[in-house]
Amino acid sequence: MNIISKLLEGIHLLILLLVSIGGYIIPKNYVGVYLLILPFIILDWNDKDGLCFVTRLQNMVSYKSFNPKVKDKVEENFTYGLLSKFINIDISEKTFNFLLYVIIILSWFAGYYRLVNKHNIKLFPDNISKYITIFIVTGWILVTIPQYYKVN
């Protein structure tokens, strides 16, 4: 593996750490930037090809092609491949993605909590906004989770 590919792997690892624990460790002055960037990273993972742009770039460098055909699914998914290679975790990719998103969402909420506390923002100015938010979040959870695990 050449030096550029190793450099991209290091950048990828830094992005993974930032996404996973950034909400807890980023200095309070930069939490707002983290909260804005994280949804765009998630959108990039969920676009048409389902890959992070760094994964695509790394595959392009490794295979010396603009449209590389990777050898296996583990090589195509950086985070899943990293855990399967080095930590030897054997779980389905669907379960892995679910756990990864839970970790990312918790990190985002931790960052959001830190930002709200830094600026003394009152999250719910009155009970009506509180009840509307609870209704929307609960409805979203009740609709989304069963769709993720299609119950027959």
Side-chain angles (χ1 to χ4, degrees):
M1 195 179 278
N2 64 22
I3 188 104
I4 296 172
S5 187
K6 285 290 187 188
L7 179 66
L8 288 171
E9 193 170 308
I11 291 170
H12 218 156
L13 192 56
L14 286 173
I15 291 171
L16 175 63
L17 288 173
L18 173 75
V19 165
S20 302
I21 60 174
Y24 305 102
I25 64 170
I26 289 179
K28 285 185 179 181
N29 292 341
Y30 300 104
V31 170
V33 174
Y34 169 78
L35 295 176
L36 288 173
I37 289 175
L38 187 59
F40 290 105
I41 291 173
I42 301 302
L43 286 173
D44 178 46
W45 286 344
N46 291 297
D47 63 1
K48 187 176 178 182
D49 64 1
L51 297 174
C52 170
F53 76 95
V54 181
T55 302
R56 288 236 350 121
L57 188 58
Q58 189 172 355
N59 288 339
M60 286 177 185
V61 168
S62 297
Y63 289 98
K64 297 177 182 155
S65 168
F66 284 112
N67 194 11
K69 302 285 184 229
V70 294
K71 295 176 185 168
D72 58 8
K73 189 72 174 162
V74 171
E75 191 176 67
E76 189 173 273
N77 188 329
F78 174 79
T79 310
Y80 185 72
L82 183 73
L83 287 177
S84 4
K85 244 192 308 191
F86 297 112
I87 302 176
N88 200 16
I89 291 179
D90 188 28
I91 60 174
S92 74
E93 191 172 348
K94 187 174 183 178
T95 303
F96 174 77
N97 286 337
F98 178 77
L99 292 174
L100 183 62
Y101 282 119
V102 167
I103 290 168
I104 291 169
I105 289 168
L106 290 175
S107 179
W108 191 91
F109 276 117
Y112 180 75
Y113 178 78
R114 290 175 62 210
L115 186 71
V116 166
N117 282 341
K118 177 186 177 203
H119 295 292
N120 295 322
I121 299 170
K122 191 172 181 183
L123 189 57
F124 300 113
D126 55 20
N127 281 337
I128 293 173
S129 62
K130 181 178 180 179
Y131 295 136
I132 290 172
T133 304
I134 290 170
F135 173 75
I136 290 172
V137 170
T138 305
W140 177 80
I141 289 171
L142 291 174
V143 168
T144 304
I145 290 179
Q147 285 179 354
Y148 188 77
Y149 291 106
K150 295 191 188 226
V151 180
N152 294 329

